Structures are given as structure tokens and as C-alpha cells.
Amino acid sequence: MPLARASGELRNRIMLDAAFVRDHLDAVKANCTNRNVTADVDAVVRLDDERKRIQRLADETKAKQNQITDGFKKATPEERTKLKEESGKLKEQVAGFDAQLAEVEVKLRAALAVIPNMSHPNAPVGTDSAANVTVGEFGTKPAFDFKPKDHVDLCTSLALADFEAGTKVAGQKFYFLKNEGVLLELALVQYAITKLVAKGFTPVITPDLAKVDILEGIGFMPRDNAETRQVYTVADTDLCLIATAEITLGGMLAEQTIPEDQLPQRYVGLSHCFRTEAGAAGRDTRGIYRVHQFTKVEMFAFCTPAQSDAIHEEIRGIEEEIFNGLGIPFRVIDTCTGDLGGPAYRKYDLEAWMPGRGNGGEYGEVTSTSNCTDYQARRLKIRYRPKEKKGGGLPFVHTLNGTAVACTRALIAILENYQQADGSVVVPEVLRPWVNKERIVAKK
RNA sequence: GGAGAGGUGGCAGAGUGGUCGAAUGCGUCGGUCUCGAAAACCGAUAUACCUUCACGGGUAUCGAGGGUUCGAAUCCCUCCCUCUCCGCCA
């Protein structure tokens, strides 16, 4: 099968950052420090200067060529021979400049690629998760008068999942869902999508694979070496298994210009998610907390810069509503700068209480919502056409994403919080229309 | 997978080697007219990058990449995509 080519449009995507870096050099450097990222910011300016220099030379040479062409028609035969000769020389020069330009652009792109997005002024500053701030707590942790089981025991005793079969068929960290495990997953999907459609989100089922260019535009690094790569690549193609529908939903509008009056656009996408979990070997090996494949309902929004802060709060509110609706206790974390990753400008995590986790229960991340401002839009070339025309180019949209329901993690929280002394699990009320029972009991 | 047709500006749609960044229509914006509106008329209306304090100037772009030529939307090659028909299949 032939490899699909990267489109020319996408190829130059990261170039556009250079001017911003140049204009905010100190702020960008400080941000890298806050984010605990080592990046040669000065190299960007240096390489950008070089790029401009070469481009000017190339453009001037091309202009000369065009002049020759313009004068060709009224030239005498002798003059024409001369002009052809001259044009040939210029052509060689242009080829040289273009080659240099391509080389510098590759370097510039590489230098820009490691620079993270700027950070929200209110995001807590800190280099690791210790600096994260809890900004809200919801629900009441269940008080058990028995020793609560973890989700692995519950899955096994209630026959909701088969981990051995998963390992046999696909390897460690794969699983089969069975019985009410299946019904619960489907119910969670229905619950989330139904709720979001009612809120005006457009439902989408996305591809489970996407091209490397799209992954990179969203901020993933599929070209990393196999040891550190977070996504699966498909051999002999330029495709990856997606790690989240954020990838496909964001890519959906790549290279488009959207009229301002069509913003914001809110989508709710359903997909499978595939993660190599490179670097997580040995961690969370039990059960379905950290797996290579799971199902997720994801929110995604495209909007103007003026709208993104409010939509971020809106998405966070929806995530809270979903977990409040499920009756699961959780807390909300305002992620600190060092923990934001590359694309996020600000990020909130919802951490659900998981009574079976660790020693006597622990919080575990169940959702995450990020405002990526124009970081992804620049790379994917998603612009909007403002109502009021102003000078200088079309601005980029802002993109936001947020988990509605990550099925495996939600499943853990449900099973562990809703378990009963007799080993059964009560089905959260909002899921009963789809599960069709109030309680999951052991099979005979 | 096979055969055919086609990919041009916000949209529709001309353009088959030389002022073509691109006719025309529609749309949009501004103006005239009007008490106001419609209609009519006049004008403006692609994007990116480089350059300039600014006016402006330059380069590139007609699906993508490469080639022929002094010169390519127009000719040649490769690829991608869309449509129609056939085959196959959930």
C-alpha cells in the first residue's frame, strides 16, 4: 500500500509560531522554566533570521527571473539566447536557495516543536504534580462497614471482565468486558452522549486511526522512537491508532477557515483509545485502570480566543455534572504548569474516589479538560474569518477538549463506590435505563 | 479492485503556453438613492511569507509533488481526493 503524502498545507504549519516567540522572548523562556521544559528558545530567533535572509535572496532572484521572462517577447533572437542563458544561471541559484531554505525550515520546526504552549496566568506554577491545586470537592465518600474490594475482585467475582483471556489474545493490559461490564460501558456511552446532545453538542463517531500529521498537529509525537512513543503506529502506513478522539475531532477541521458566526462549535465524539503506556511498565498492572485500549466519549470545541476561557469552564462544569449524576465522589484539580504537557494552556482534572485503590482508597484521574488556545490550531491550520475585517491575516481558532466519560476509569469508580456488603454492585440510577437492572449479582 | 469523468477564489463557473491571482454571475462589505427598506446604480472583496514608519513593493499559491519551457491554471509524469458505472463485501 502506498504511503499517503503529507499535504503541503500542513507541512509549514509550525512556522507561524516564530514571530510570537521573537516578540515574547522573555515570557516564552520563563514559561519553559515554569513548565519544566528545556528548550533552546534563542535558536528559534536565530533560525528564523536565517530563514528570512535566505528567503529574501530566493525571492529577489526569482524576481529577476520574472523580469527576464517579461522582456522575452520583445527581445531580438540574439537577445533571447542571452536571456535564456542568464535565466538558466538564476534558476540554479534559486534551486540552491530553496534547498537551504528547506534545511533551515526543518531545523526551525524542530526548535519550535519542543516549545510548549503558554500558560494561563491563573494556572498554579510548579514543576511537578505536588504543585497541583484542588479547586473543588463533590459528593460523599461511601462509608463501608466491610472491607471494600477493588474493581479487579469485583470484575472477577461478578464476571464483568476476563483479564486472562485479554492477555492470551492480545497481551498484558488488554481485557474482555463481559455481561454487565458490557452493559455498563454501553450505558456510560449512552448516558454521556445523550446528555451532551441535549446540551447542543454534535455527536460524532470518529475513525480510530489517524495520520501522523494530524497526531503531530494535536501535539503527539508519533515519530518518537519505539521506547518512548505513546501511540501505536500501523506498519507500512503513515497511520496511528488514536490515543484519544481529541486527535480525530481536532483534525476534523484541519486546514479550514470557519466564519466567525459559526463559532463556537461543540462536538462529542466516541472512539476507542489506544495507548502504548510506554514508560508505565509495572505501574497499575492490575485490572483496567491502565490499559492499552478503552472506549471514551470526548468533548471538543472550536471557538474564538475571546470564548475559550468560558468554554473551558463550561466543559469542566459538564464533567462535574456527569460524575455528580453518576453519584461518584470526586475532586477537581487545577493542574500546575509543570504538569500541563505541551499543548495545554490550562488543564483541569477530575479525580474520582476509588475505595479499592491503594491502601484504603485513593483518588484516580477519570477526566481531564484542556484549553489549548491556538497551539493545535496553528499546527493544523484551523482559522476563522472574523466578522469585522481587520488588517493582517486570518486568526487561528482556539481548541478545547475534555473527557466526558473514559469507560474503564468510570467503570472502576462505579464498581468500587457502589459495591455492597454481599459482594453485589448497585447500578447507578442514571444508567439503569440501559443496563436494565438495579443491581449486579454474582452468577450462579 | 476495474472503467470513465473531474478537482480553479466564500459559492457557482470560464479559462488549454505569455500582463491570469485568474472573466462572468451570486454572495459579502462600503457608497448613492429613500422617511426607512427593497430594487437599481457605483466601488471594494483570496491566502501565506518577505520587505516598508507608512503609501507601497516583492515572492509563492488554480488538489499535492516532480518535470518540460525564457515563461505553466493551461503540456508531461507520479500521487491524493471526489463523482458515475462495474466487481466485492459487514
Side-chain angles (χ1 to χ4, degrees):
Chain A
M1 180 185 289
L3 293 186
R5 292 248 175 95
S7 85
E9 291 292 322
L10 273 182
R11 202 163 283 166
N12 286 324
R13 64 198 164 226
I14 306 177
M15 301 309 302
L16 301 153
D17 287 328
F20 179 88
V21 173
R22 179 189 295 278
D23 294 342
H24 304 82
L25 200 55
D26 292 335
V28 170
K29 286 180 182 173
N31 185 54
C32 286
T33 306
N34 287 343
R35 293 244 192 176
N36 210 13
V37 167
T38 313
D40 189 351
V41 180
D42 291 317
V44 170
V45 178
R46 203 166 58 239
L47 289 164
D48 194 40
D49 284 340
E50 184 65 1
R51 184 190 120 250
K52 287 183 182 182
R53 187 183 71 83
I54 297 167
Q55 182 167 350
R56 202 176 321 143
L57 288 171
D59 283 356
E60 283 166 3
T61 312
K62 285 176 191 170
K64 280 187 206 161
Q65 261 191 312
N66 288 339
Q67 277 170 24
I68 290 174
T69 293
D70 289 343
F72 191 82
K73 258 189 135 173
K74 34 186 169 173
T76 64
E78 302 87 71
E79 285 171 332
R80 288 187 178 185
T81 312
K82 214 169 160 190
L83 290 176
K84 285 187 192 184
E85 217 175 282
E86 201 177 332
S87 181
K89 283 182 202 157
L90 293 175
K91 203 180 208 176
E92 277 176 39
Q93 290 179 28
V94 167
F97 290 137
D98 282 347
Q100 288 180 51
L101 196 55
E103 204 177 308
V104 172
E105 284 179 353
V106 167
K107 288 183 190 166
L108 178 56
R109 232 172 286 147
L112 282 165
V114 296
I115 296 178
N117 198 358
M118 299 303 282
S119 309
H120 192 286
N122 295 343
V125 175
T127 53
D128 61 52
S129 56
N132 290 343
V133 174
T134 301
V135 293
E137 294 196 46
F138 297 81
T140 310
K141 295 176 189 170
F144 296 115
D145 53 4
F146 58 94
K147 183 171 178 2
K149 297 177 176 174
D150 76 358
H151 77 276
V152 182
D153 289 345
L154 290 163
C155 280
T156 305
S157 60
L158 298 174
L160 304 181
D162 188 335
F163 301 108
E164 281 95 61
T167 302
K168 181 171 62 187
V169 168
Q172 258 288 312
K173 291 183 177 168
F174 284 95
Y175 57 97
F176 286 76
L177 287 182
K178 291 168 67 181
N179 300 308
E180 291 90 344
V182 173
L183 301 183
L184 279 169
E185 167 153 323
L186 295 175
L188 283 165
V189 169
Q190 286 281 14
Y191 166 63
I193 291 181
T194 303
K195 185 182 273 292
L196 283 157
V197 167
K199 290 181 186 295
F201 284 64
T202 303
V204 176
I205 293 178
T206 87
D208 284 339
L209 287 79
K211 295 179 183 174
V212 166
D213 286 295
I214 301 293
L215 278 277
E216 288 184 340
I218 289 292
F220 283 81
M221 312 279 211
R223 291 185 220 263
D224 270 8
N225 63 52
E227 287 75 47
T228 55
R229 198 192 297 146
Q230 294 297 322
V231 292
Y232 291 99
T233 56
V234 180
D236 302 325
T237 72
D238 66 342
L239 291 170
C240 301
L241 300 188
I242 60 170
T244 160
E246 173 192 352
I247 293 164
T248 39
L249 290 168
M252 198 163 57
L253 297 190
E255 291 170 61
Q256 292 195 12
T257 301
I258 305 156
E260 184 177 354
D261 58 15
Q262 286 176 27
L263 294 173
Q265 292 189 19
R266 296 174 177 83
Y267 294 94
V268 51
L270 171 64
S271 82
H272 291 115
C273 304
F274 302 90
R275 302 186 177 180
T276 61
E277 297 298 344
R283 278 168 57 201
D284 307 306
T285 49
R286 268 172 70 77
I288 54 175
Y289 188 83
R290 189 178 297 279
V291 286
H292 290 312
Q293 177 186 332
F294 59 98
T295 304
K296 182 157 63 71
V297 179
E298 179 82 356
M299 296 176 270
F300 200 94
F302 303 89
C303 66
T304 67
Q307 296 165 336
S308 68
D309 272 340
I311 292 179
H312 195 208
E313 296 303 320
E314 173 191 331
I315 290 175
R316 169 188 150 185
I318 292 170
E319 294 184 355
E320 291 171 357
E321 186 183 325
I322 287 170
F323 277 83
N324 277 325
L326 289 169
I328 291 168
F330 63 94
R331 66 183 183 188
V332 183
I333 303 293
D334 193 348
T335 307
C336 78
T337 50
D339 235 11
L340 284 174
Y345 171 73
R346 195 176 203 185
K347 178 160 82 163
Y348 296 116
D349 288 349
L350 259 62
E351 296 183 345
W353 179 245
M354 298 179 178
R357 190 168 164 73
N359 202 357
E362 278 179 10
Y363 283 100
E365 182 180 334
V366 284
T367 78
S368 166
T369 175
S370 299
N371 179 0
C372 297
T373 62
D374 61 359
Y375 190 85
Q376 297 173 329
R378 275 180 194 284
R379 295 164 172 234
L380 294 169
K381 279 203 59 176
I382 311 174
R383 303 165 193 272
Y384 70 97
R385 195 173 293 283
K387 281 184 215 143
E388 312 276 323
K389 55 177 178 192
K390 323 168 207 172
L394 296 174
F396 292 100
V397 301
H398 279 194
T399 58
L400 302 103
N401 64 81
T403 319
V405 167
C407 286
T408 39
R409 296 270 172 104
L411 217 45
I412 294 169
I414 290 168
L415 295 175
E416 294 187 1
N417 282 288
Y418 277 89
Q419 62 180 303
Q420 307 297 310
D422 63 1
S424 67
V425 170
V426 170
V427 177
E429 208 170 327
V430 295
L431 300 184
R432 288 180 198 166
W434 296 289
V435 179
N436 276 315
K437 56 176 71 172
E438 291 180 15
R439 183 185 290 262
I440 302 167
V441 298
K443 283 80 194 157
K444 328 174 241 323

